[in-house]
Amino acid sequence: GAGVSQSPSNKVTEKGKDVELRCDPISGHTALYWYRQRLGQGLEFLIYFQGNSAPDKSGLPSDRFSAERTGESVSTLTIQRTQQEDSAVYLCASSLAGIGATEAFFGQGTRLTVV
Amino acid sequence: RKEVEQDPGPFNVPEGATVAFNCTYSNSASQSFFWYRQDCRKEPKLLMSVYSSGNEDGRFTAQLNRASQYISLLIRDSKLSDSATYLCVVNKGGSYIPTFGRGTSLIVHP
């Protein structure tokens, strides 16, 4: 596709369940980012992938959160044993390179609701 | 101190007004600066990059002040369609991870 694609667009899950969110970046984009945005709040950095380098996981809030990326393609963000405070929009972005001077393109996000 | 700080607003202005937002950042090693726009329940989209010499794109002007560690966005002749949240973005010092401010809400009314 032409843009960053995320799935599902909406997810409602019960507290304690695991969820997996998917991101398809723009073809050729080596950098991929995951952010979380709670209602009325700013974007909170979670994790960053750049090519085949080790990911920067410094933003992951707890060990319940993990993410993987295969090469320069699809990424999945997994949240284990979900809690109500995990409810948020999870945004994925990709850019041409890890150099911050390039534009980051965002997907439309996955709206996660933990009930 | 937060890495990137913005006045959340809202700024409520009439059509045709000029409005300015400031954003301060804490890491003096930051190298890349941007303004993004986010419409309600939508993803952020790049509005403009911010260059050291300042830059203009139509009604929008962005400026960077490294000494005082802030960037600004000026919108002239506001339109109803400018109503949105404007996000200040600074790359994380020492790496290339964009750090987002909380955003400034702008409401342009007739």
Side-chain angles (χ1 to χ4, degrees), chain A residues 12-27:
Chain A
V12 180
T13 189
E14 292 181 353
K15 179 180 173 182
K17 299 285 188 183
D18 298 351
V19 296
E20 190 172 278
L21 313 180
R22 177 187 170 104
C23 173
D24 279 281
I26 293 172
S27 178

Side-chain angles (χ1 to χ4, degrees), chain A residues 39-71:
Chain A
L39 187 63
Q41 303 296 313
L43 274 71
E44 177 187 359
F45 165 72
L46 297 177
I47 189 169
Y48 160 60
F49 295 90
Q50 170 55 36
N52 293 316
S53 301
D56 183 327
K57 304 179 180 181
S58 60
L60 294 178
S62 77
D63 59 8
R64 296 187 295 105
F65 288 72
S66 63
E68 294 185 349
R69 186 184 187 194
T70 306

Side-chain angles (χ1 to χ4, degrees), chain A residues 96-115:
Chain A
L96 270 173
I99 299 173
T102 61
E103 178 180 359
F105 294 83
F106 282 84
Q108 293 191 328
T110 293
R111 185 172 300 276
L112 176 66
T113 304
V114 182
V115 298

Side-chain angles (χ1 to χ4, degrees), chain A residues 33 35 37 56 98 100 104 107, chain B residues 34 36 38 43 46 92 96-98:
Chain A
Y33 314 84
Y35 289 86
Q37 188 172 33
D56 183 327
Chain B
F34 308 89
Y36 276 68
Q38 186 174 27
E43 74 276 20
L46 180 68
K92 193 174 179 180
Y96 300 110
I97 298 171

